[in-house]
Structure formats: structure tokens, C-alpha cells
Amino acid sequence: MRMRIKTLSFATVAALVAGGSFGRTVGPDLVFEPVVTNLVRPVEIAYAGDGSNRLFIVEQRGRIQCLRGAELTEFLDIADRVQDRGNEQGLLGLAFSPLFSASGNFYVNYTSSSSGRNGDTVISRFHLDAGAESADPDSEEVLLVIDQPFANHNGGQILFGPDGFLYIGMGDGGSGRDPGERAQDLSSLLGKLLRIDVETPANRAVYGIPPDNPFVGQVGIRAEIWAFGLRNPWRFAFDRSTGDLYIGDVGQVQLEEIDFQAAQSGGGENYGWDFYEGSVQTSFNPGSPPLESSLTFPIFEYGRSLGFSVTVGRVYRGTRYPRMQGIFFFGDFGSGRIWGTQRTERGDWSTVELSRTGFGISTFGEDEVGNLYLADLDGTVYQINDDYIWADATDLGDGWKQSAWLGQFNDGGFPWLFHQYHGWWMIEGEDQTGLWFFALDLGWIWTGSESYPFLFRASDESWLFYLEGSRNPRWFFNFGAGEWEMR
């Protein structure tokens, strides 16, 4: 998208920066480009990692569609064995083997139509023959079946972690308020994040237990468990760069939460449900609550005024949009809001609302090169872009890139320059005057003419103003005090 650039007032620039900042960095201006429409309840977006850059879109009814360029074809149809009568049932998850190019193996998570109304959770492996465009439904190998006492809270996400093991998100079994106290019961697989070996199991087992799983060898505890205390982790995601894990746990009556697990974690985290909903203690569990020091609380939570069903989300690691780099994006199915969060230099988390879309956000996904997508349950998949950068740039060396398009600035043509390593933007006039400079990584925005330059820093909302013809004295506007100071 081409963008007309015009001179901005003090107030406009201040509003732009204050409205979307992460610590010291200006946030992106999200735009949504439809890439495929007329799907039937899309609930997952995946890629195969085989160099084809195909997108695979899971439809809840039991079908997987493959998008290659603009062509949509059917990849798998298992609707004959999928129970999707309930709103939270259906074909819910898809993960391709890290060795898919060689093995042709991929994995799905669905609720079974052969196990009654509640629909047990089934984790299965399927196979794609070499040269084939669609998978054989009869190639299914069932690996794990988990009894579901109710029709809701099925989780659904499956992903291979950076360690090569398959992670499975399981809800607490459903109904409401976890009546069976399953999320805290380590003899049950419900209300858990599971971690199993499906690629290299020993002794011809259908799956194996990684030896470093936190509860291996403990009597009465399921060794598949990696973490527990979850209500309904509908979606979770690994940062492809760092290996960090983000979990979106759908709340009961008060709070939606984002949970975090660092890449170096050894597992065993207790996220608190049903003793806690987010950071708030509940009365749902009649037992004695664990010590707070033994729990892992959310990095972000929000109440019903902002939404009612959190959907995770991906960390952007593409190369097209530098302002999106390293931000973890997530949304809410009910309100259509999208947020972004990042760690600050202090080690805490800065979260910003970035968009109110109106979409029923059922899932996020990414492709092989790191482009980011979301699905609207009504049937459209969108690519998420930042309306602020052009990818058709010329490499000038030393990290600088120049846009091919000349923007409009004071009715003249001026090239955009972008420094790919430092996140610096510059608009330069033909006579070297009228310069705008965006030093995003430093937190400062510098702009002005040869007569009146000024700066703005997002981290402390400070303005710095130089008088005409001189760098001294300097006037500094203190937002906290609401007045100008000479320094």
C-alpha cells in the first residue's frame, strides 16, 4: 500500500507515538489483506516447512485446505470421523513433522464422532505420499485418545517445539468451573500441556515420553504432562527465534490470560486454574490452594470489558516489517481486538492494543518466511501487515535501504531511507533540508526543518526543542509536570 506523507503537527506526532509504543519503540499500524475467502469455520493456519511456502488452513468441519499462491485445493478430508456439533468440537489442530519433506508425516487433533456426543480427543498421524497433492484419509494412525467428560474445553492446538517433540494443549474437560478438579489432578491429562515424542519413539511404541519431562518416574502422575493448571488453552505458540512459549488460556467469568514459559524452562509450571483465574483467586476448588510462590501467573490478563475468549498469537519474525519485529501478537475472538506485547529493558512486559478489527479471531498463523496471518471464523484468512514500510527497497549498503517509491512531503518527492539493523527511518529532501528522522530503537523521533528541529521520546513522553539557529539553550517539555523547562 502506498502512503502519502505530509508534515505533522506536534500534537499529531505525539498522538501517533503515545498511541502505539512498546517501551522505547513505536508500534506498527496494522492493516489486514484478505488472502482467501469463503472457507467454512477456519480454526488453524499452518505451514509444512518443505520450501513450498504453502499455507494449510484447517476447517472445523473436518477438512484441511491448501493455499499455494492464489490456488486453493483440498489437502485432507476426515469429516466422516470428526464430531463438530459443539462449538468447541471439530478438527482443531494441525502440525507438520519437522522432517515432513522426507517422511510426509503430519499430525492432527480432532474430536471423534465415534465416541458419543462429547467426542473424545484424538491425536493421529497421517501420511502424504511423495508427489501427491492430497493426503490419504485411510493413512491415519491413531496415537492417543483422551476421554472427554463434556463437549467443551477441548483445547485443540498441537505444535512441534524447537526440541522436536509434539506439544498438545488440553482443556480441563469442560462444563464450567472444572467440576472434576482435573486441571490440578496430575493423574489426568485434562487441563494440561502435554509433551510427547511421536517421531522417534523407542520399542515401536506409538509415542514415547521424553526423558526430561518433569514428572517422569513419579508414581501416580502421567509422564506426558509438561505443565498444568490450564482451563482451555485454545491456542499456544513458540517464538521461532527464541523458543519461548506463549499460551492463551480462555477464562471462566472474569479474566482472559496470556501465560509465558521461557525457552530454558524444564517444564512443570502450574498456571493456577482452578484455584486461580488469571491472578485472581477463585472459590471453585474446595481444596487448599497452593502457595503463590509455586504458581506461574500471567504476563497479561484482561477482563470482560475487552473481550471474552483469548486467541494466541505469534511472535513476528519476518523480514518485511521491522516495526513488527519481536512483537507477540494475540487477539480476542469476541471483541476482535488485537494486542502486541514485548519485554522491556527492565524485563517486564509492555502490552499495547493495536487494532479493533471486528473479526471473530479464531486463530493466528505464520508461513515459512515469517509472514503473519489470522483467521476470521466467518470464513476469511487475512495477512497482517504494517502500513508503514515498502518491501521493494534498494540496498544502499551499510545497512541502509531506500524505497523505490518517492513519498509526498510538502508537495515534493523525497526518498525514504531505512536502516535494517537499527530501525532508523529518514525522509530526506532534495536540498538536504526538511528532514524527518525516526530513531525507533533509541526511542527518539527527530523531526523539523533547518530552523526548528525538535525531538520526541516515547519511553518517557518527553519533548526536546532547539531554538532557531542555536543548539543552546534547549527547551525541554516535561509531560509529568506539564510545563517547559530550560536545560
Side-chain angles (χ1 to χ4, degrees):
M1 177 181 290
R2 293 184 172 180
M3 182 178 180
R4 293 181 62 85
I5 308 299
K6 296 184 179 180
T7 307
L8 302 179
S9 67
F10 272 39
T12 303
V13 176
L16 171 66
V17 177
S21 63
F22 296 87
R24 297 184 305 155
T25 305
V26 178
D29 180 16
L30 300 185
V31 292
F32 306 92
E33 176 187 354
V35 295
V36 60
T37 59
N38 299 318
L39 298 163
V40 180
R41 295 178 68 86
V43 292
E44 177 65 309
I45 302 167
Y47 67 94
D50 61 352
S52 67
N53 207 31
R54 293 174 291 176
L55 276 185
F56 295 85
I57 303 161
V58 175
E59 294 181 318
Q60 191 172 1
R61 59 180 174 166
R63 295 186 174 95
I64 300 174
Q65 307 291 345
C66 174
L67 182 66
R68 187 196 296 265
E71 183 182 3
L72 189 70
T73 59
E74 187 172 273
F75 180 71
L76 180 69
D77 183 355
I78 56 170
D80 60 349
R81 67 204 73 172
V82 170
Q83 168 70 275
D84 68 334
R85 288 185 297 181
N87 190 51
E88 299 176 31
Q89 295 177 317
L91 179 56
L92 305 177
L94 168 66
F96 286 87
S97 164
L99 304 175
F100 174 75
S101 294
S103 70
N105 290 334
F106 63 96
Y107 300 81
V108 300
N109 180 336
Y110 67 90
T111 52
S112 172
S113 60
S114 64
S115 53
R117 183 178 182 84
N118 292 333
D120 290 344
T121 289
V122 177
I123 308 298
S124 286
R125 176 166 49 224
F126 285 84
H127 180 75
L128 179 71
D129 292 332
E133 292 296 322
S134 59
D136 181 0
D138 293 332
S139 68
E140 180 178 17
E141 182 181 3
V142 175
L143 306 182
L144 178 62
V145 177
I146 302 174
D147 178 68
Q148 290 288 356
F150 298 95
N152 59 337
H153 298 186
N154 297 304
Q157 183 80 66
I158 55 173
L159 282 177
F160 281 93
D163 51 17
F165 297 124
L166 185 68
Y167 290 72
I168 304 167
M170 293 300 304
D172 64 8
S175 185
R177 307 188 179 193
D178 194 7
E181 316 301 348
R182 297 178 179 90
Q184 294 292 322
D185 179 2
L186 294 179
S187 68
S188 169
L189 297 182
L190 298 174
K192 312 297 191 300
L193 184 64
L194 312 180
R195 178 180 184 247
I196 61 175
D197 181 0
V198 295
E199 292 286 286
T200 58
N203 302 320
R204 295 189 173 183
V206 291
Y207 70 86
I209 305 297
D212 59 347
N213 270 13
F215 302 110
V216 168
Q218 298 189 34
V219 177
I221 298 179
R222 294 294 297 262
E224 296 94 335
I225 296 172
W226 179 254
F228 64 106
L230 295 166
R231 181 178 179 271
N232 192 29
W234 165 240
R235 291 290 174 248
F236 59 87
F238 289 98
D239 182 338
R240 65 163 64 182
S241 177
T242 67
D244 293 335
L245 174 64
Y246 298 82
I247 305 169
D249 200 10
V250 179
Q252 177 72 47
V253 294
Q254 294 188 72
L255 296 169
E256 305 297 305
E257 66 184 83
I258 299 295
D259 297 313
F260 176 78
Q261 187 180 99
Q264 62 270 25
S265 168
E269 285 87 349
N270 182 355
Y271 292 105
W273 176 256
D274 63 343
F275 287 110
Y276 284 81
E277 183 177 358
S279 62
V280 176
Q281 190 169 348
T282 74
S283 59
F284 304 151
N285 193 316
S288 298
L291 295 175
E292 287 192 5
S293 60
S294 70
L295 301 177
T296 300
F297 287 103
I299 62 171
F300 182 70
E301 58 188 18
Y302 61 92
R304 288 295 182 266
S305 64
L306 299 179
F308 59 80
S309 183
V310 64
T311 302
V312 163
R314 291 291 188 275
V315 178
Y316 179 77
R317 295 298 181 187
T319 59
R320 186 180 178 92
Y321 302 114
R323 294 198 309 175
M324 291 170 61
Q325 186 62 227
I327 296 173
F328 169 63
F329 294 88
F330 62 97
D332 187 271
F333 171 76
S335 68
R337 285 177 163 88
I338 293 177
W339 294 267
T341 192
Q342 265 186 316
R343 274 196 189 275
T344 69
E345 290 181 344
R346 299 184 301 273
D348 56 1
W349 295 88
S350 175
T351 303
V352 174
E353 183 180 310
L354 297 172
S355 184
R356 301 183 185 184
T357 65
F359 304 146
I361 303 171
S362 59
T363 194
F364 289 79
E366 56 188 337
D367 61 22
E368 290 187 22
V369 297
N371 294 316
L372 197 62
Y373 301 84
L374 68 78
D376 181 348
L377 193 63
D378 282 348
T380 301
V381 169
Y382 298 87
Q383 184 171 339
I384 304 174
N385 302 323
D386 183 3
D387 192 19
Y388 196 62
I389 181 175
W390 296 265
D392 54 351
T394 301
D395 193 341
L396 303 180
D398 296 325
W400 286 100
K401 293 182 182 290
Q402 178 176 321
S403 72
W405 177 70
L406 301 183
Q408 296 298 314
F409 183 80
N410 286 346
D411 297 322
F414 296 88
W416 281 87
L417 302 178
F418 172 69
H419 196 283
Q420 66 186 51
Y421 304 118
H422 296 294
W424 299 341
W425 277 97
M426 183 166 65
I427 307 177
E428 187 176 35
E430 294 175 355
D431 57 358
Q432 307 300 309
T433 63
L435 188 93
W436 285 69
F437 189 84
F438 299 77
L440 302 184
D441 65 333
L442 303 178
W444 284 102
I445 293 179
W446 183 88
T447 183
S449 68
E450 59 185 355
S451 300
Y452 294 99
F454 59 87
L455 299 94
F456 176 78
R457 185 164 62 190
S459 59
D460 55 9
E461 296 187 337
S462 301
W463 283 97
L464 179 62
F465 184 75
Y466 293 111
L467 295 182
E468 181 177 2
S470 173
R471 293 293 176 103
N472 202 8
R474 298 179 301 176
W475 288 90
F476 195 94
F477 188 78
N478 186 321
F479 274 76
E483 60 186 18
W484 288 94
E485 302 170 358
M486 185 184 295
R487 299 186 181 182

